[in-house]
Amino acid sequence: MRCRTTVALAILALFVALLVALLGANAILTSAETKPAGITVAGGRILDLPAGDVQVVDQGPRGSSAIVLIHGFTCSIDWWSRTMPSFGPDRRVIAIDLLGHGGSEKPESGYSMENQAAIVSQALRRLGVRSATVVGHSLGAVVATAMGEASPRLVARIVVLDQAPDSDGYGADLPLAAALTFYPVIGEALWRLAPDASIEDGLSVGFAAGYDVPDPFVEDFRRLTYTAYDESAEGETAYTEEEPLDTRLRRIGKPVLAIFGAEEQIYDPRASLAAYAELPGAETALVSGAGHSPNVERPGFTARLIERFAEPVAPRRASTTKKGRPQGRPK
């Protein structure tokens, strides 16, 4: 009997050692994974920038005031696909995939909010944008704020879409399964093994209760590397813990519009809006029938809120005949 027990313990120890070795190897391989940029959406193009290659969609007249759309954590340009068509035809609208997300490059590092802001600014300068209304959804609002700090001439106005000013004071705890993905070794293993149903469940907190998560959003999640996933979250936390967004926005001094879904599941929407309302001249809006992602759940209404807040579109100059009479107007 003692011999059998010894053998059983030896087998168990061998199994545990093998499991630990496999988990360690997976963690090393998963954390070292990188991916090149590639077009993933209709109308997308890749910009080769000094800090990394990123995917952008650029629509509308080049001479008009631009609205720039920056997605949230684990998201991509896809999350704006229902919003972009709702803007007026005379409005230039640019959506960009952050480093590590969507069709943009996924390197081993570079996921701080300051670096993400620098890359978006590089992309806008490459596209000839001089002044823009920058809209950030969730993590994108943190990047937009970092842009306002580092590139104030490029950012005319800032729209905060469902991002609390202080995550410690206004945020809800993550579900256990999602929280475990940020633990060393365990996180990499869960990342490798997660089925689509688990990803859908994690993404569902980004909407009002009962909202069906679109399949493309699961694909967006799958495009991430573990490094992009883990370090993007770490970069957001580091930035907001150093100084809250509302404090930073007050110092930046740009016009601010804060929008929250009334059925938000991650943050307290009313407490967050009350904090932003304390900023000089700030505007706020609570969107009924939407959770953490009004840009997906109520895209038309959200687009109208943004466009009313954005800089006016400069009127197009009418071309003239040789006699100087404007063309296209009644004589």
Side-chain angles (χ1 to χ4, degrees):
M1 176 68 76
R2 186 175 297 176
C3 181
R4 290 180 180 178
T5 302
T6 302
V7 171
L9 289 174
I11 292 173
L12 178 60
L14 179 62
F15 174 77
V16 171
L18 180 60
L19 179 61
V20 170
L22 289 173
L23 288 172
N26 176 69
I28 293 171
L29 292 173
T30 302
S31 297
E33 183 183 13
T34 61
K35 294 180 182 180
I39 295 173
T40 60
V41 293
R45 57 182 284 206
I46 303 299
L47 298 181
D48 182 3
L49 302 173
D53 299 343
V54 297
Q55 178 175 228
V56 300
V57 172
D58 186 1
Q59 299 178 353
R62 298 300 179 267
S64 69
S65 175
I67 291 175
V68 177
L69 306 174
I70 307 176
H71 61 77
F73 179 56
T74 77
C75 308
S76 77
I77 290 172
D78 278 342
W79 289 59
W80 299 108
S81 63
R82 301 177 183 181
T83 313
M84 294 181 75
S86 299
F87 290 109
D90 291 334
R91 178 72 69 177
R92 186 181 188 184
V93 181
I94 300 169
I96 184 166
D97 279 334
L98 293 171
L99 199 71
H101 294 71
S104 292
E105 184 180 351
K106 299 159 184 69
E108 293 182 358
S109 60
Y111 299 104
S112 70
M113 299 299 97
E114 293 85 353
N115 192 61
Q116 292 280 22
I119 292 173
V120 176
S121 296
Q122 288 176 14
L124 296 182
R125 292 188 180 100
R126 178 72 61 85
L127 295 172
V129 176
R130 295 183 178 179
S131 179
T133 297
V134 182
V135 184
H137 173 221
S138 196
L139 175 140
V142 184
V143 176
T145 302
M147 287 178 64
E149 289 184 314
S151 304
R153 293 185 179 180
L154 190 60
V155 179
R157 299 164 182 260
I158 296 175
V159 179
V160 174
L161 185 59
D162 282 80
Q163 176 63 44
D166 183 345
S167 295
D168 288 337
Y170 299 92
D173 292 333
L174 286 174
L176 177 61
L180 286 174
T181 60
F182 296 108
Y183 279 77
V185 181
I186 296 174
E188 288 91 340
L190 291 173
W191 177 267
R192 185 75 69 180
L193 300 173
D196 286 355
S198 177
I199 295 172
E200 287 181 11
D201 185 56
L203 292 174
S204 66
V205 298
F207 307 95
Y211 188 86
D212 291 330
V213 178
D215 290 340
F217 294 179
V218 177
E219 295 174 18
D220 288 333
F221 188 94
R222 292 287 191 194
R223 290 190 180 101
L224 290 161
T225 61
Y226 183 76
T227 299
Y229 172 79
D230 186 48
E231 293 193 10
S232 293
E234 184 178 313
E236 177 185 359
T237 300
Y239 186 86
T240 55
E241 285 186 349
E242 180 182 4
E243 193 174 23
L245 290 193
D246 55 342
T247 302
R248 293 177 184 269
L249 290 168
R250 182 182 297 274
R251 185 174 59 249
I252 292 168
K254 302 290 184 180
V256 172
L257 167 64
I259 303 171
F260 274 76
E263 298 178 45
E264 165 76 61
Q265 297 191 73
I266 300 175
Y267 303 117
D268 182 332
R270 290 166 179 82
S272 298
L273 288 175
Y276 285 120
E278 295 295 321
L279 299 175
E283 300 179 30
T284 63
L286 188 66
V287 181
S288 62
H292 185 66
S293 306
N295 48 319
V296 177
E297 298 162 280
R298 294 200 60 190
F301 183 76
T302 302
R304 289 192 293 275
L305 287 174
I306 295 169
E307 193 154 26
R308 282 201 295 265
F309 173 74
E311 286 187 298
V313 176
R316 295 185 183 183
R317 293 181 179 179
S319 59
T320 57
T321 63
K322 292 182 179 179
K323 295 182 179 179
R325 184 186 298 275
Q327 293 181 339
R329 295 183 181 179
K331 295 183 180 180

